Amino acid sequence: MLTNISGVLRACAQRNGAAAVVSARTYADFTTQATFEIKKCDVHKLDEAPATQVVMTRDEGLQYYRTMQTMRRMELKADQLYKQKIIRGFCHLYDGQEACAVGIEASIKLTDHLITAYRAHGYTFTRGGTVKEIMAELTGRRSGIAKGKGGSMHMYCKNFYGGNGIVGAQVPLGAGVALACRYKGTDELCVCLYGDGAANQGQIFETYNMAALWKLPVIFICENNRYGMGTSVERAAASTDYFKRGEFIPGLR
């Protein structure tokens, strides 16, 4: 294709008595990896922080970008369908938080386990669900990922346990999954996600205590979007340093 375009430009230039300079760039011109400097993480009860320099390959970068773009476009369409009343009931969107899901998934394996709150569309996609299955679920169709019976908050895949509508209730459930991993003696772990609004729930602190006592393979992640149902974190929490909330559990921001 590039050769054809070059030939056309050259012919036009010769006809008009002008010289044409044609630049062609192939995939071989692109670097295979890049190094990035990232902000130093604040840490709690950790001897050292994660590295501030990371290396990412071109293939990884394209994969992460493609995943985030797909999630964003899916959520924007869901937003439109909800306003058109084609999606009924609840519709909790994940747009704006795509990088959280992509970063977490890049750090764990699909054989590891994950449980989240009601903003579940993005993780349903990263855990193996298709856009078609997710949109079908949102519109209450039988071809949906939960047969059209779960809706926005209740979607499930292999090693993905939802989507939960009760604020904070997924955290002790995730600890239970981690207990099962430890009981079975696997090298798997459970990632337990919740929002800043749920961070003040008593059951979360109880779960921290049990997880620390039993040395469970669980990672608690607070996806802080700074508002819990419209209430800012400053008005809802005496301390917004959520990475220190575990007290006796190491954490980082």
Side-chain angles (χ1 to χ4, degrees):
M1 185 63 182
L2 283 172
T3 306
N4 294 340
I5 293 172
S6 303
V8 170
L9 288 172
R10 217 172 269 113
C12 290
Q14 288 171 354
R15 188 182 306 145
N16 297 321
V21 178
V22 179
S23 175
R25 195 171 187 188
T26 66
Y27 283 115
D29 296 330
F30 294 100
T31 184
T32 57
Q33 65 181 36
T35 303
F36 297 91
E37 294 289 337
I38 61 172
K39 181 182 172 184
K40 185 177 180 181
C41 294
D42 296 325
V43 297
H44 172 67
K45 287 192 176 298
L46 284 171
D47 294 332
E48 57 181 283
T52 56
Q53 191 177 80
V54 294
V55 178
M56 184 170 64
T57 68
R58 182 173 182 274
D59 290 340
E60 287 171 341
L62 287 172
Q63 178 191 337
Y64 300 155
Y65 182 69
R66 188 178 293 113
T67 301
M68 287 192 288
Q69 274 284 10
T70 303
M71 290 164 65
R72 174 64 63 91
R73 289 174 179 272
M74 177 179 71
E75 294 293 67
L76 292 180
K77 178 52 69 174
D79 182 27
Q80 182 185 45
L81 294 175
Y82 182 69
K83 289 169 180 172
Q84 292 172 340
K85 292 184 168 48
I86 296 172
I87 293 175
R88 312 294 290 219
F90 294 101
C91 185
H92 296 286
L93 302 175
Y94 196 71
D95 52 322
Q97 296 179 222
E98 299 90 350
C100 294
V102 170
I104 290 165
E105 291 286 16
S107 305
I108 63 175
K109 299 176 288 188
L110 280 175
T111 52
D112 291 321
H113 308 269
L114 192 145
I115 189 167
T116 188
Y118 41 74
R119 298 190 191 279
H121 310 166
Y123 288 104
T124 307
F125 178 68
T126 61
R127 291 267 102 187
T130 66
V131 173
K132 185 176 181 179
E133 288 173 326
I134 294 166
M135 299 304 285
E137 185 61 38
L138 288 172
T139 52
R141 300 172 191 276
R142 189 188 299 173
S143 56
I145 201 153
K147 310 300 182 187
K149 297 179 180 180
S152 178
M153 291 186 283
H154 306 290
M155 299 183 182
Y156 310 94
C157 300
K158 185 175 176 60
N159 298 330
F160 175 60
Y161 307 92
N164 292 266
I166 306 300
V167 176
Q170 73 278 6
V171 178
L173 293 177
V177 174
L179 177 61
C181 293
R182 185 167 181 262
Y183 187 78
K184 292 192 295 183
T186 66
D187 64 346
E188 298 164 2
L189 58 85
C190 183
V191 174
C192 212
L193 297 129
Y194 55 95
D196 48 280
N200 302 316
Q201 283 273 337
Q203 59 192 326
I204 292 182
F205 291 92
E206 293 177 39
T207 306
Y208 290 159
N209 185 59
M210 294 168 72
L213 280 173
W214 297 343
K215 304 291 189 291
L216 299 182
V218 58
I219 302 173
F220 300 107
I221 297 180
C222 176
E223 292 184 297
N224 180 8
N225 62 15
R226 301 186 181 275
Y227 287 90
M229 293 303 290
T231 302
S232 69
V233 293
E234 288 78 14
R235 291 178 57 204
S239 170
T240 57
D241 287 337
Y242 297 109
F243 70 105
K244 296 179 181 178
R245 289 286 190 93
E247 189 178 352
F248 33 76
I249 298 175
L252 61 89
R253 170 160 52 195

